Amino acid sequence: MLIGAIGDDFTGSADLANMIAQAGLATRLYAGPLPASATDEAAAIVALKTRSVPVAEAVAASRAAVDWLLKQGAERILFKYCSTFDSTPEGNIGPVAEALADDLGADRVLFVPSFPTTGRTVYQGHLFVGDRLLSESPLAQHPLTPMTDPDLRRWLARQTSQTVGHLPLAVLRAENAAAALAEADARFIIADAIDDGDIDRLGRLVLDARLVTGGSAIGSGLARALGAEGMARGRWTGVDGRAVLMAGSCSAATLGQIAAYDGPQRRLSVIEALSADDTFIETLAAWVLQQDRPPLIAASSPADEVTAAQETYGRERVATAIENTFARLAAALRQHGVLRFVVAGGETSGAVATGLGITSFEVGPQIAPGVPALTAGPLRVALKSGNFGGRDFFHRALEVLEGR
Ligand SMILES: Nc1ncnc2c1ncn2[C@@H]1O[C@H](COP(=O)(O)OP(=O)(O)OP(=O)(O)O)[C@@H](O)[C@H]1O
Ligand SMILES: O=C(O)[C@@H](O)C(=O)CO
């Protein structure tokens, strides 16, 4: 296993799997109880749910997953977090990186959140989303991990007792970058990177490191540095079976994709989700099966409606009810022979994968930057982070899952 990786959320892990697979490595995404032994793919990604859980829980789950990867023969470890460095002053990026660095005996660890294709870049130690500083982007208002400081050196330093340094762009692009890095007097180093050339430079720099951390782009830089391009890849085949689309993400991108989808649509209301019994699930499944074209079921609402529902019923309660409804619906539809599932939203995707009883996926072609087509037995699945994909994402996903 050339790359063993953990991701701190579900669709972020799928994003990483996509980037590594696109670079040419056969890749498997694990998303549930880990099997006794891994299959023989060159890259394995374990999807965790550690971004917003208490620090100790995140550290324990990450260490256990890395231990499993090492037992499967992983030659190097990649810790994937969000390209917008989603975390709080307590963690979880710093504490998890610290525990892994200790376990792996890594005396220098690079932090590479940059994902240039999606406009997330780091320059002078500051993270940009498009042409805005992170703290002036919508991420500053994130409900769980508000990113109010764009200086990643300062942000990471709050989360860890390790020394935090910086690899400036000019040094990265110079001939002697490796020597300069070797002499850095900090254990944790935030790396500048503003384009894919920088990502490739960083991929080469970390080739011999036991541990690297970052967004999904460094996964592809590393894979390319490993010469992945020439390696054999699994053959993707689509399926032309029944399909369903499910949206639980309320991001602006997902709301636009729902508005643009011209197939049959049905809303799943908060009230319905809170009181969903078996009869409701079967009725919803029957509606899906009656449609001539792939139908979309969406709970997604604009921010003010989400806030109102959360204030009335409780944030956790609403989220869990909607996620459980999608999970049960997916299980029922699977029983009725649905083979293609397209899901929008990280938490929603995790719930649906669990409902379908999937514990690992083979990674296929890219549907959109950050979103791969996935195979699990006879099923073809697309799991999309809230903010990813163009307006025609749902159509595009159905086409790719069908093999077109
Ligand atoms: N109408 C609604 N009112 C309140 N909560 C909702 C509503 N619709 C969906 N939700 C909940 O909002 C959450 C959306 O999170 P999810 O991770 O699926 O999407 P996201 O945050 O856009 O995606 P990502 O984490 O990939 O960026 C889920 O827990 C979902 O159940
Ligand atoms: O890195 C990203 O932007 C995504 O993979 C992600 O983790 C979104 O939550």
Side-chain angles (χ1 to χ4, degrees):
M1 188 186 291
L2 296 175
I3 302 177
I6 57 167
D8 69 355
D9 87 337
F10 200 92
T11 42
S13 302
D15 170 14
L16 175 64
N18 177 56
M19 293 296 275
I20 296 177
Q22 292 319 303
L25 286 189
T27 305
R28 183 166 287 269
L29 174 64
Y30 291 89
L34 291 166
S37 50
T39 45
D40 63 358
E41 278 85 2
I45 290 102
V46 179
L48 299 173
K49 197 171 186 268
T50 49
R51 191 171 288 176
S52 305
V53 301
V55 172
E57 221 174 284
V59 168
S62 303
R63 293 182 71 195
V66 166
D67 186 49
W68 180 82
L69 287 163
L70 293 172
K71 287 195 176 113
Q72 310 311 311
E75 291 176 21
R76 50 183 71 68
I77 297 294
L78 198 170
F79 165 33
K80 155 75 172 69
Y81 40 77
C82 191
S83 59
T84 46
F85 215 72
D86 295 13
S87 53
T88 68
E90 287 72 47
N92 289 337
I93 295 174
V96 168
E98 203 171 315
L100 299 184
D102 287 347
D103 287 355
L104 293 162
D107 52 12
R108 192 152 288 119
V109 181
L110 274 186
F111 289 71
V112 190
S114 283
F115 188 1
T117 312
T118 56
R120 287 89 191 259
T121 56
V122 177
Y123 182 59
Q124 307 288 25
H126 287 61
L127 200 150
F128 291 81
V129 177
D131 64 356
R132 313 305 302 181
L133 280 166
L134 177 63
S135 51
E136 293 172 21
S137 80
L139 279 304
Q141 274 88 46
H142 192 283
L144 299 176
T145 49
M147 298 305 293
T148 51
D149 187 347
D151 186 336
L152 298 185
R153 298 160 297 185
R154 206 158 49 197
W155 194 255
L156 179 60
R158 292 193 181 121
Q159 302 176 11
T160 175
S161 58
Q162 301 299 307
T163 43
V164 178
H166 177 216
L167 178 61
L169 195 66
V171 177
L172 172 66
R173 290 183 174 183
E175 290 280 304
N176 58 349
L181 183 62
E183 279 165 24
D185 58 1
R187 191 179 192 199
F188 284 3
I189 296 176
I190 301 286
D192 281 358
I194 62 169
D195 62 24
D196 285 338
D198 297 326
I199 293 294
D200 282 340
R201 286 181 190 92
L202 286 162
R204 291 192 290 273
L205 269 187
V206 299
L207 201 51
D208 294 326
R210 288 281 280 159
L211 174 67
V212 61
T213 81
S216 58
I218 189 57
S220 62
L222 189 52
R224 279 192 293 271
L226 285 160
E229 232 158 323
M231 294 188 195
R233 296 192 43 186
R235 273 210 2 253
W236 164 267
T237 51
V239 296
D240 185 15
R242 277 189 177 281
V244 67
L245 308 137
M246 298 179 181
S249 160
C250 302
S251 71
T254 303
L255 294 176
Q257 290 155 354
I258 293 170
Y261 185 64
D262 61 2
Q265 294 199 25
R266 187 200 188 285
R267 261 206 73 66
L268 169 67
S269 75
V270 172
I271 302 279
E272 285 173 327
L274 284 168
S275 57
D277 57 11
D278 289 349
T279 311
F280 176 76
I281 300 293
E282 274 311 319
T283 310
L284 207 50
W287 178 81
V288 168
L289 299 168
Q290 277 157 18
Q291 307 308 311
D292 293 335
R293 298 171 59 204
L296 165 66
I297 301 188
S300 321
S301 296
D304 54 339
E305 287 176 32
V306 172
T307 309
Q310 289 172 338
E311 278 168 6
T312 309
Y313 303 104
R315 194 173 71 84
E316 248 343 278
R317 195 169 154 232
V318 175
T320 307
I322 294 173
E323 288 165 30
N324 285 345
T325 305
F326 277 129
R328 290 162 67 200
L329 177 63
L333 290 171
R334 169 80 192 92
Q335 292 253 311
H336 289 296
V338 173
L339 292 178
R340 285 180 291 157
F341 290 83
V342 178
V343 190
E347 297 298 327
T348 313
S349 293
V352 169
T354 305
L356 291 171
I358 300 173
T359 51
S360 87
F361 299 90
E362 196 182 311
V363 182
Q366 171 169 292
I367 298 168
V371 194
L374 300 166
T375 300
L379 304 182
R380 299 296 178 274
V381 183
L383 307 172
K384 180 192 90 79
S385 270
N387 286 312
F388 284 169
R391 269 182 80 81
D392 67 344
F393 175 81
F394 289 130
H395 269 301
R396 186 68 204 122
L398 289 169
E399 279 175 2
V400 176
L401 296 188
E402 195 184 322
R404 281 197 276 151

